[in-house]
């Protein structure tokens, strides 16, 4: 997708997404055979419900039909929330991942798996799980020390609501 098309789509879609109290995470146009696919990824502090995606999809479709932003070629519109394995790239992603286990690839090399306890403008406060019965340790990592980060899926972790009960 060209930068001008990307900027134009972002300009058209951002107000529609914001009106639903969502963040526009990503816009991607790709080819699927003869058709193009427009993927719009949205998120919020509380996640995104399926009904919200459907409503937003209708709104985006109407807006795109009124403009020539996608040209005359056929395209398929997909509106969804980011997957569980999406990379953490923005400050808000880290904030939303507070309490979750994350895998960090450090800029200096090496990897760290730790629970995000807190996030501020400079970096993360982490709890590194203890190994072989040892107690967990605290660690501070600045954002500029992180090359890549991703939430780790935990199948046996209790829900926050269960922990508070």
């Amino acid at each position: 997708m060209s930068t001008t098309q990307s900027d134009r789509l972002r300009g058209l879609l951002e107000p529609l997404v914001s009106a639903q109290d969502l963040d526009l995470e990503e816009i991607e146009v790709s080819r699927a055979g003869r058709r193009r696919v427009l993927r719009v990824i949205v998120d919020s502090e509380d996640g995104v419900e399926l009904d919200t995606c459907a409503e937003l999809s209708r709104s985006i479709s109407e807006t795109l039909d009124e403009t020539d932003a996608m040209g005359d070629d056929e395209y398929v519109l997909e509106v969804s929330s980011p997957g569980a394995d999406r990379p953490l790239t923005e400050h808000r992603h880290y904030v939303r991942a507070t309490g979750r286990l994350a895998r960090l690839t450090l800029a200096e090399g090496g990897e760290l798996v730790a629970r995000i306890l807190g996030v501020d403008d400079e970096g993360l406060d982490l709890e590194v799980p203890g190994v072989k019965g040892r107690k967990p340790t605290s660690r501070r990592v600045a954002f500029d020390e992180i090359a890549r980060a991703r939430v780790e899926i935990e199948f046996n972790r209790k829900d926050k609501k269960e922990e508070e009960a």
Side-chain angles (χ1 to χ4, degrees):
M1 171 169 60
S2 69
T3 304
T4 54
Q5 183 185 27
S6 175
D7 292 341
R8 186 163 183 215
L9 285 170
R10 186 166 285 280
L12 280 171
L13 303 184
E14 193 101 51
L16 301 173
V17 173
S18 295
Q20 296 282 342
D21 293 324
L22 300 171
D23 296 318
L24 180 57
E25 294 291 342
E26 186 178 339
I27 298 172
E28 175 188 315
V29 178
S30 59
R31 284 249 169 237
R34 292 188 315 215
R35 290 187 185 174
R36 291 176 298 154
V37 177
L38 171 60
R39 284 187 188 87
V40 179
I41 309 297
V42 296
D43 203 3
S44 79
E45 293 294 323
D46 302 318
V48 183
E49 294 185 9
L50 188 58
D51 289 343
T52 304
C53 283
E55 186 178 325
L56 182 59
S57 179
R58 285 188 292 276
S59 176
I60 290 172
S61 182
E62 288 172 11
T63 299
L64 292 175
D65 287 348
E66 294 169 1
T67 69
D68 65 345
M70 290 299 293
D72 294 330
D73 294 339
E74 290 183 24
Y75 68 92
V76 175
L77 173 63
E78 295 179 2
V79 177
S80 66
S81 62
D85 62 346
R86 81 124 169 242
L88 304 174
T89 57
E90 303 283 335
H91 184 270
R92 68 177 177 266
H93 298 164
Y94 290 98
V95 171
R96 290 177 186 156
T98 300
R100 308 277 310 269
L101 201 60
R103 180 174 302 274
L104 310 174
T105 302
L106 303 176
E108 66 190 27
E111 217 172 52
L112 174 65
V113 177
R115 190 162 311 282
I116 300 173
L117 298 178
V119 181
D120 59 30
D121 291 338
E122 286 81 42
L124 310 172
D125 292 318
L126 304 170
E127 179 184 75
V128 181
V131 180
K132 295 183 182 178
R134 294 189 179 149
K135 291 183 179 181
T137 57
S138 296
R139 179 165 176 185
R140 174 84 180 162
V141 175
F143 286 120
D144 62 0
E145 295 177 64
I146 302 171
R148 286 188 312 271
R150 178 178 310 274
V151 168
E152 286 284 288
I153 308 289
E154 295 179 85
F155 293 105
N156 59 352
R157 178 158 165 82
K158 290 182 180 178
D159 191 340
K160 284 183 182 180
K161 292 177 185 172
E162 289 178 34
E163 290 177 358
E164 292 170 359

